[in-house]
Amino acid sequence: MAIGQTLLGLLEAGPRHGYELKRAYDERFGHDRPLHYGQVYATLARLLRNGLVTESGVEPGGGPERKSYAITDAGITDVERWLATPEKPEVYLQNTLYTKVVLALLSGRDAATVLDTQRAAHLKVMRELTRRKAEGDLADTLICDHALFHLEADLRWLELTAARLDELAKQVGA
């Protein structure tokens, strides 16, 4: 995820301190990967250096002074450009799982076991995501649905490959 553009997008609602940005990011996007404070402040420093944010004030706190940041017009333009740019579709034409299946065949190992082991791992993660989806809000539901759809596609590939193992073994010379 583009952390800089995400922080800029959060700043469009109004100026915030680094702590507030981290909290807002973690609540909305960081369920599985919360930001580290150092990451927030390093990103804010870069955004400030690039003219995408400006310091909008300083408040005394219990520790160091708390700087507040606001998005600039250039920052708004950057967010708009980022939102308008489609993400590159992830195409898995060469993946590790395919490599494992072929190597298992070439080495005389049981490729079906490789596929079965992977299927079990996928199903476990799918159960966890389904549970999280049932307990979560709409954001969790949408995030989990995205992951579940990808895992379902993987499962279809696992089933198709299992059905074609004999043919694949012949083609790879196993």
Side-chain angles (χ1 to χ4, degrees):
M1 180 181 290
I3 295 168
Q5 283 81 12
T6 305
L7 295 181
L8 286 172
L10 291 171
L11 283 171
E12 283 191 285
R16 296 185 190 197
H17 302 100
Y19 173 79
E20 293 169 321
L21 281 170
K22 178 198 174 349
R23 193 175 66 217
Y25 179 97
D26 289 351
E27 285 174 4
R28 297 223 188 277
F29 313 110
H31 186 269
D32 295 318
R33 282 186 152 172
L35 289 179
H36 297 285
Y37 285 104
Q39 196 173 12
V40 171
Y41 291 107
T43 302
L44 285 170
R46 182 177 44 79
L47 295 172
L48 184 63
R49 183 178 62 247
N50 294 337
L52 302 176
V53 298
T54 186
E55 289 182 16
S56 63
V58 178
E59 295 176 10
E65 292 182 333
R66 297 173 60 183
K67 293 178 187 176
S68 186
Y69 297 88
I71 191 168
T72 63
D73 289 342
I76 292 170
T77 300
D78 191 71
V79 171
E80 288 172 350
R81 183 177 22 249
W82 180 63
L83 292 173
T85 304
E87 291 296 307
K88 182 180 179 198
E90 294 182 32
V91 179
Y92 302 103
L93 294 179
Q94 178 68 333
N95 70 31
T96 305
L97 185 53
Y98 171 78
T99 302
K100 285 182 172 186
V101 170
V102 171
L103 288 175
L105 290 170
L106 290 173
S107 67
R109 292 182 177 92
D110 187 6
T113 300
V114 171
L115 294 170
D116 289 342
T117 301
Q118 190 62 51
R119 184 181 304 106
H122 270 61
L123 290 171
K124 179 181 180 207
V125 171
M126 290 175 81
R127 282 190 296 275
E128 291 166 3
L129 288 169
T130 302
R131 189 172 21 260
R132 175 178 163 185
K133 184 176 145 176
E135 297 167 355
D137 59 9
L138 181 57
D140 270 340
T141 298
L142 292 171
I143 289 167
C144 290
D145 280 343
H146 185 264
L148 284 164
F149 291 147
H150 281 273
L151 291 169
E152 286 173 9
D154 288 350
L155 282 177
R156 286 194 307 269
W157 181 85
L158 290 166
E159 295 300 326
L160 181 64
T161 303
R164 295 179 171 172
L165 272 180
D166 291 339
E167 181 183 346
L168 181 61
K170 289 176 193 169
Q171 285 190 10
V172 299

